[in-house]
């Protein structure tokens, strides 16, 4: 992604503002994982993992790790008071049933209508979808955190995704190092500009049509 | 007459080339190390392996892939096992992907004696290509057939001689589902206790699903986070 640690933190912090009290939230790998650092315990948020934890806590101290207590990526985690364990079928049952308030994930491409592509680059990288399709299709709100452009500076927010889709019209919000955008009724709207960027720079680096409804400059 | 399911290891005769093996675990966490080693040592090949993911090349069911014992893999993710990706691209390994929740439910359906499930996750994506559909209550679903296996292997924290199992934290993951979906199921336990010692309220998998209980020798691999710390 080529983004510095501070930029990644800024994106994660902005995403955390979307999370309200008692919400059930799933955080994907990469920048989404950092969102947990900005959630005060008093908010009563329950972080969900695909392998079967509701109420995931932060990373344990070195030496305190438990091989049988990990997130979906296999890394050691802790639990918070009120947490529970269950099998993977139940983990996705609560997602399909519509109880997941927010899923925050990374993406390779997003279209202006909210199509997300993040699980396969045919012929190149075929890791499998894991839980991405379940989460992106069933969460009440889908927030994409990613770099605004590819390493070569090409737009990732496109008129149409070129890669196979994870979900059709699933994304509600995109947060990048350049801007915050929301997708409403199939329209992509620029609502915030991140520090160091101009509206023109955001428009120039976005292929999809952007409506400008600025409410905040960071 | 066997009055306890506890044994050193099951009869090797149950392992055969071309068999379908379902393995519990998620990223290797909760996968049964002693039983995976038992299968490796048996020398069987051309396995159809069903598991959540391909683990890591040296962790969990990933070892069976690395040792080229698997001809077909049914999973949701292989990203943490580059060996699986390499074999898939070279044509040596056939991989079928399902969304994680769909795969879990297909296994559960197999374990619960159902023919399959109706699911809409993946509609509007390439997942729906070639899938049989059904309209129920005015909504469109894909028909996903249930999955069963010749042999299911799971790991757990405690087992009793009847095969009742309890699990440990997030190592439960796919194990209870896999445990019920095998025609023969072997459970590997960190601790084997006398019948009556497990609290009936806390038993997750009922012994009726389990054919053999084996003492675990413990995890014989290093986790990624351990290796990272060492380097």
């Amino acid at each position: 992604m080529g983004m510095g640690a501070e930029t990644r933190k800024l994106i994660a912090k902005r995403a955390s503002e979307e999370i309200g009290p008692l919400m059930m939230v799933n955080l994907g790998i990469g920048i989404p994982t950092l969102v947990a650092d900005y959630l005060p315990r008093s908010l009563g948020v329950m972080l969900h993992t695909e392998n079967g934890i509701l109420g995931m806590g932060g990373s344990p101290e070195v030496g305190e790790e438990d091989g049988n207590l990990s997130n979906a990526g296999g890394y050691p985690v802790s639990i918070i008071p009120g947490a529970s364990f269950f099998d993977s079928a139940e983990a996705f049952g609560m997602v399909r049933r519509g109880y997941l308030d927010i899923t925050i994930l990374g993406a390779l491409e997003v279209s202006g209508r909210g199509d997300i592509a993040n699980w396969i680059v045919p012929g190149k990288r075929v890791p499998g979808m894991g839980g991405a399709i379940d989460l992106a299709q069933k969460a009440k709100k889908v927030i994409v955190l990613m770099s605004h452009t590819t390493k070569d500076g090409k737009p990732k927010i496109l008129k149409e995704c070129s890669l196979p889709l994870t979900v059709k019209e699933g994304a509600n919000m995109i947060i990048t190092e350049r801007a915050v955008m929301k997708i409403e009724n199939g329209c992509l709207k620029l609502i915030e500009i991140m520090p160091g960027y101009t509206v023109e720079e955001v428009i120039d680096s976005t292929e999809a049509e952007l409506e400008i409804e600025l409410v905040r400059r960071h | 007459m066997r009055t306890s399911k506890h044994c050193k290891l099951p009869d090797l005769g149950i392992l055969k080339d071309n068999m379908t093996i379902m393995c519990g675990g998620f990223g290797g966490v909760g996968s049964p190390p002693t039983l995976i080693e038992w299968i490796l040592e048996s020398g069987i090949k051309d396995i159809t392996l069903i598991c959540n993911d391909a683990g890591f090349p040296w962790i969990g069911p990933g070892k069976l892939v690395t040792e080229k014992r698997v001809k077909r893999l049914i999973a949701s993710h292989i990203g943490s096992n580059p060996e699986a990706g390499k074999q898939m691209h070279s044509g040596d390994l056939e991989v079928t992907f399902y969304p994680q929740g769909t795969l879990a439910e297909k296994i559960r359906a197999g374990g619960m004696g159902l023919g399959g499930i109706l699911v809409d996750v993946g509609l509007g994506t390439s997942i729906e290509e070639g899938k049989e559909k059904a309209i129920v209550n005015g909504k469109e679903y894909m028909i996903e057939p249930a999955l069963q296996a010749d042999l299911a292997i799971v790991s757990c924290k405690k087992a009793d001689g009847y095969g009742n199992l309890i699990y440990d934290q997030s190592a439960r993951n796919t194990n209870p589902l896999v445990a019920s979906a095998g025609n023969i199921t072997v459970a590997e336990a960190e601790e084997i206790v006398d019948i009556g010692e497990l609290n009936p309220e806390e038993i997750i998998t009922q012994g009726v699903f389990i054919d053999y209980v084996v003492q675990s020798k413990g995890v014989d691999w290093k986790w990624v986070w351990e290796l990272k710390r060492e380097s």
Side-chain angles (χ1 to χ4, degrees), chain A residues 14-32:
Chain A
R14 176 60 190 83
S16 74
E17 293 175 17
E18 300 300 310
I19 299 173
L22 299 179
M23 279 186 174
M24 170 178 162
V25 178
N26 184 290
L27 304 177
I29 52 169
I31 307 175

Side-chain angles (χ1 to χ4, degrees), chain A residues 53-161:
Chain A
I53 307 173
L54 189 56
M56 182 184 73
S59 306
E61 298 290 322
V62 171
E64 298 291 310
E65 300 96 338
D66 182 336
N68 284 346
L69 181 52
S70 60
N71 61 18
Y75 279 81
V77 294
S78 59
I79 52 169
I80 64 168
S84 55
F85 299 118
F86 36 85
D87 66 51
S88 308
E90 281 185 66
F92 284 97
M94 51 186 81
V95 172
R96 275 194 307 271
R97 188 76 174 83
Y99 291 117
L100 182 61
D101 293 292
I102 298 182
T103 194
I104 304 181
L105 37 79
L108 300 167
E109 296 174 349
V110 186
S111 84
R113 289 187 310 278
D115 300 340
I116 300 173
N118 76 350
W119 75 273
I120 182 171
V121 183
K124 284 189 184 156
R125 224 166 57 83
V126 189
M129 70 292 284
I133 297 180
D134 309 70
L135 294 165
Q137 195 168 316
K138 293 297 183 182
K140 287 184 205 164
K141 183 168 184 172
V142 178
I143 304 176
V144 176
L145 309 187
M146 64 177 192
S147 58
H148 205 95
T149 58
T150 65
K151 277 184 193 145
D152 319 328
K154 296 205 178 77
K156 289 169 73 174
I157 303 168
L158 306 169
K159 289 193 169 86
E160 300 286 346
C161 293

Side-chain angles (χ1 to χ4, degrees), chain B residues 9-138:
Chain B
L9 280 170
D11 182 356
L12 263 181
I14 65 175
L15 296 180
K16 296 182 174 68
D17 289 348
N18 285 304
M19 77 186 309
T20 300
I21 298 178
M22 206 180 264
C23 179
F26 197 118
V29 176
S31 292
T34 306
L35 294 173
I36 289 168
E37 213 47 46
W38 172 61
I39 292 168
L40 276 173
E41 282 171 17
S42 77
I44 62 164
K45 58 184 192 308
D46 295 331
I47 298 165
T48 293
L49 178 65
I50 305 172
C51 46
N52 175 69
D53 58 88
F56 294 79
W58 67 98
I59 292 178
K63 287 177 160 189
L64 295 169
V65 174
T66 304
E67 296 293 324
K68 300 195 163 62
R69 305 302 178 80
V70 182
K71 70 166 179 197
R72 182 167 183 231
L73 176 65
I74 299 173
S76 68
H77 201 266
I78 61 167
S80 53
N81 190 336
E83 182 60 33
K86 211 165 76 187
Q87 290 180 26
M88 179 173 66
H89 286 298
S90 68
D92 295 322
L93 178 68
E94 181 192 342
V95 182
T96 307
F97 289 117
Y98 292 101
Q100 216 154 46
T102 299
L103 180 61
E105 265 333 302
K106 282 165 74 74
I107 295 170
R108 178 153 80 167
M112 295 296 115
L114 299 169
I117 58 163
L118 300 177
V119 62
D120 63 358
V121 170
L123 286 179
T125 75
S126 59
I127 302 303
E128 71 171 292
E129 284 165 18
K131 295 280 162 78
E132 217 178 316
K133 306 271 179 65
I135 309 281
V136 178
N137 293 330

Side-chain angles (χ1 to χ4, degrees), chain B residues 1 3 5 23 33 65 88 118 125 128 169 186 190 204 209:
Chain B
M1 192 168 49
T3 56
K5 295 176 185 177
C23 179
V65 174
M88 179 173 66
L118 300 177
T125 75
E128 71 171 292
Q169 307 170 99
V186 189
E190 281 177 36
I204 303 291
F209 292 110

